[in-house]
Amino acid sequence: MAYLTTTASGQPVLVLKEGTTRNRGREAQRNNIMAARVIGEVLRTTLGPRGMDKMLIDSLGDITITNDGAAILNEIEVEHPAAKMMVEIAKTQDDMVGDGTTTAVVLAGELLKKAEELLDQNIHPTIIVSGYRKAAQKAMETINNIAIEVDIDDRATLKKVAVTSMASKAVGPAKDHLADIAIDAVRKVAEKRGDKWVADIDNVQVTKKTGKSLFESQLIQGLVIDKEVVHTGMPKNVERAKIALIDSALEIEKTEISAEIRIRDPNQMKAFLDQENKMLQEMVEKIKASGANVVFCQKGIDDMAQHFLAKEGIMAARRVKQSDMEKLARATGGRIVSNLTDLRAQDLGVAGLVEERKLGEDKMIFVEKCKDPRSVAIIIRAGLERMVDEAERAMTDALSVVSDVIENNKIVAGGGAVEVEVAKELRNYATDVGGREQLAIESFADAIEIIPKTLAENAGLEPIDILVELRASHGKPDGQYKGVNLFTGKVENMRDKGVVEPVIVKEQAIKSATESATMIIRIDDVIASTKPKE
């Protein structure tokens, strides 16, 4: 229907075109809050080490089994605009810190639920938003006050952080093995810039292959290139490799303009072909002169050039991805060369071993035994394809949290301990603020307790009893580390139990959840245009 209004004289005025729908006031707020809360409810049962998994089937019939918040929201196709904002929270959380996506979305859903109760009491959205923002600020201060500083060389603590991040994943007893791999990988790629440590996990290449078991996942001191040696006559194994990284084609370039060559004599034809071969041979001679015995080329390698390289005993791979070329440069200490004329011995990378191996059905080139690789590879193995995928997600989480701690060396206790402590401080702070904002801050405190409550629910415990016990223990001195042990059902010191998480993950979850909740609360009018007809 068209959206009509009338002038004082009763003349109809067409404002919005036909087919436009409009919801406003409480109806718009209710619809938005309900849609966003549904997303939170979907993820709630996946939270924590006793959380359940979701089976997702896409339009092509591909199956994903996971309890990773970001992966679930990535797979489901969300239609409602408010619900899409919840998906964005998970994406932001994943991009920024790599973990805590479920926490962020569940918290946002609960903040909206509490906001709806306040709206029903006729508290204005602006007051709720203001209260929530003050509460989020206070929550950050509290988290930083109770944070524990970590020495980044303390391997035991880094391992606890990595194992905690994988606790909810279905990797079972292989957690310790994968955690050790993650720590070694991040330490290799971490570098000091000024006073700060930077650990960019994009420099860790994760390759997954079905077959063998999770325990046979391994860290390679170098890289694995998903290509095979281009020519059967080339060596398949080169020790003490000198590696040339070339991003131009080892081919004769075709002219951009159409050219016609008139050949009247068979000798001219031979001379023409010989000249082409000579040019290719010169290219190979330049590579040999530099001392290289392995070539990784980002573009194509002509069949004749392959023949000459094989003759010289040089191993070569072509059409290597740009990202892999950059990682090879970091791993081997080589430089990527665009022009063969510029190739010098000092541009070559070095590796103890370059070898073509068969992994499952595929042949791959392993670049190993690099002296001090600034880029490394992890090969994940498991017997089932779904398991390999889940192990990859677990490994990504572990890499992310270890790099978070190396970049920002503070951790907090898990198991709901930090949330209950934040809620306690917020309730004290709310009375200082007073007025109607006090109600919003108290609602924020109630909302953040959804995390320990959900953890307990998912473990089959009695959430109210656990929450009462947690609040009581946090009222005592030295109670800030008390959380719920989901395997015994008791309230225990989570720091001593080794259940710890990076501060930055918790902070980002609260920031993302607060921002999206406040944005949805402030919307009081939804005007939707019709989709154009196909």
Side-chain angles (χ1 to χ4, degrees):
M1 58 153 226
Y3 198 80
L4 292 168
T5 186
T6 52
T7 60
S9 61
Q11 188 72 29
V13 179
L14 181 67
V15 179
L16 301 174
K17 71 175 186 179
E18 196 170 348
T20 302
T21 55
R22 184 180 183 197
N23 293 325
R24 46 186 167 162
R26 288 292 290 119
E27 186 195 355
Q29 283 167 337
R30 266 201 194 92
N31 289 349
N32 285 339
I33 289 172
M34 185 191 71
R37 276 180 58 195
V38 165
I39 299 291
E41 291 297 325
V42 167
L43 293 195
R44 239 182 103 166
T45 56
T46 68
L47 189 69
R50 303 300 277 293
M52 305 299 275
D53 289 355
K54 306 282 176 195
M55 180 187 272
L56 309 163
I57 302 145
D58 68 12
S59 52
L60 298 171
D62 287 342
I63 300 168
T64 306
I65 299 171
T66 184
N67 65 2
D68 184 90
I72 293 166
L73 295 184
N74 213 11
E75 287 290 328
I76 58 180
E77 291 177 10
V78 176
E79 189 65 35
H80 197 283
K84 280 181 181 169
M85 286 167 69
M86 300 291 270
V87 175
E88 280 173 31
I89 300 178
K91 196 170 184 321
T92 306
Q93 182 78 12
D94 205 36
D95 292 346
M96 291 296 291
V97 290
D99 196 22
T101 47
T102 307
T103 303
V105 175
V106 169
L107 177 56
E110 194 64 14
L111 284 171
L112 288 167
K113 180 184 173 186
K114 296 294 176 191
E116 193 164 28
E117 291 168 11
L118 294 174
L119 289 168
D120 289 340
Q121 294 171 38
N122 285 331
I123 292 172
H124 197 274
T126 315
I127 292 169
I128 300 171
V129 167
S130 171
Y132 274 11
R133 284 188 180 145
K134 283 181 180 170
Q137 196 57 45
K138 183 68 180 172
M140 300 296 170
E141 287 170 27
T142 306
I143 289 171
N144 273 301
N145 291 341
I146 62 170
I148 308 152
E149 209 156 290
V150 181
D151 179 358
I152 60 169
D153 294 324
D154 178 0
R155 189 183 178 92
T157 304
L158 289 178
K159 188 164 178 182
K160 286 173 189 170
V161 173
V163 169
T164 303
S165 80
M166 289 191 280
S168 59
K169 301 287 183 290
V171 290
K175 281 201 292 276
D176 286 345
H177 177 60
L178 296 179
D180 283 327
I181 291 174
I183 293 164
D184 291 337
V186 174
R187 280 187 149 172
K188 282 284 176 199
V189 302
E191 54 191 357
K192 201 160 191 181
R193 292 184 193 164
D195 297 337
K196 298 193 90 167
W197 278 93
V198 176
D200 183 358
I201 59 166
D202 283 347
N203 292 318
V204 179
Q205 177 198 47
V206 180
T207 304
K208 47 187 187 175
K209 275 279 168 263
T210 44
K212 300 199 176 178
S213 79
L214 276 170
F215 287 97
E216 279 158 287
S217 300
Q218 63 184 116
L219 176 71
I220 305 288
Q221 301 286 352
L223 285 187
V224 180
I225 304 299
D226 196 357
K227 296 286 171 192
E228 52 187 277
V229 174
V230 290
H231 193 282
T232 49
M234 287 177 179
K236 300 286 189 282
N237 173 311
V238 177
E239 291 184 5
R240 291 194 293 280
K242 297 258 193 320
I243 301 166
L245 304 171
I246 301 167
D247 81 347
S248 61
L250 297 183
E251 297 170 334
I252 303 297
E253 283 185 36
K254 305 286 183 278
T255 54
E256 283 184 22
I257 50 169
S258 300
E260 187 181 318
I261 301 169
R262 293 190 176 175
I263 292 171
R264 296 186 177 83
D265 182 342
N267 292 333
Q268 286 179 323
M269 185 69 190
K270 186 176 184 304
F272 177 74
L273 294 171
D274 286 350
Q275 180 61 27
E276 209 170 58
N277 290 346
K278 189 165 176 269
M279 287 165 80
L280 289 167
Q281 194 164 3
E282 280 170 7
M283 285 180 183
V284 173
E285 276 166 8
K286 279 177 194 161
I287 292 169
K288 188 169 176 16
S290 71
N293 52 11
V294 176
V295 173
F296 286 106
C297 185
Q298 200 176 316
K299 298 190 169 76
I301 301 178
D302 188 278
D303 291 353
M304 208 63 202
Q306 290 176 27
H307 165 73
F308 290 131
L309 285 165
K311 230 168 127 182
E312 298 291 356
I314 297 171
M315 182 199 276
R318 63 178 167 183
R319 308 208 186 283
V320 178
K321 287 190 299 196
Q322 185 181 348
S323 57
D324 284 350
M325 291 291 280
E326 286 163 6
K327 288 190 182 83
L328 276 167
R330 283 181 63 90
T332 64
R335 276 178 57 223
I336 299 171
V337 175
S338 300
N339 189 341
L340 270 182
T341 317
D342 298 337
L343 187 63
R344 305 274 180 276
Q346 57 266 38
D347 297 327
L348 302 180
V350 180
L353 175 69
V354 178
E355 185 178 32
E356 182 186 83
R357 292 181 203 153
K358 201 164 183 189
L359 269 189
E361 292 294 303
D362 306 317
K363 287 179 181 169
M364 291 180 162
I365 298 173
F366 283 67
V367 181
E368 283 192 83
K369 298 180 185 171
C370 298
K371 193 177 172 197
D372 183 23
R374 314 303 308 148
S375 189
V376 291
I378 294 169
I379 298 179
I380 291 178
R381 309 300 302 267
L384 191 69
E385 195 180 333
R386 312 271 168 259
M387 194 69 213
V388 180
D389 291 343
E390 187 67 349
E392 183 196 24
R393 285 187 279 268
M395 178 56 77
T396 307
D397 282 0
L399 290 168
S400 300
V401 292
V402 172
S403 77
D404 289 340
V405 174
I406 283 177
E407 290 182 359
N408 180 351
N409 63 332
K410 287 182 176 178
I411 56 170
V412 285
V418 69
E419 285 83 6
V420 176
E421 184 66 20
V422 165
K424 181 192 88 175
E425 291 297 321
L426 284 178
R427 288 192 181 99
N428 296 337
Y429 172 63
T431 51
D432 297 344
V433 173
R436 289 189 165 202
E437 278 185 357
Q438 175 181 347
L439 297 173
I441 295 168
E442 284 170 353
S443 289
F444 195 105
D446 292 341
I448 205 165
E449 284 182 336
I450 190 66
I451 303 302
K453 197 173 163 190
T454 304
L455 287 171
E457 255 172 44
N458 290 350
L461 306 172
E462 195 52 63
I464 302 300
D465 296 349
I466 296 287
L467 209 49
V468 168
E469 202 179 329
L470 277 170
R471 282 179 184 172
S473 60
H474 277 257
K476 295 171 188 165
D478 270 1
Q480 72 254 43
Y481 304 131
K482 291 288 177 74
V484 56
N485 182 334
L486 302 176
F487 298 97
T488 61
K490 293 187 171 68
V491 169
E492 295 174 27
N493 186 318
M494 288 290 119
R495 182 185 178 180
D496 296 347
K497 285 280 165 196
V499 180
V500 285
E501 298 174 73
V503 159
I504 197 166
V505 170
K506 289 292 179 197
E507 285 185 344
Q508 185 62 42
I510 290 171
K511 281 181 199 165
S512 303
T514 309
E515 278 176 19
S516 60
T518 52
M519 191 169 269
I520 289 169
I521 294 162
R522 286 171 61 95
I523 297 166
D524 78 331
D525 210 336
V526 178
I527 300 164
S529 301
T530 51
K531 287 180 182 169
K533 290 184 174 65
E534 295 291 324

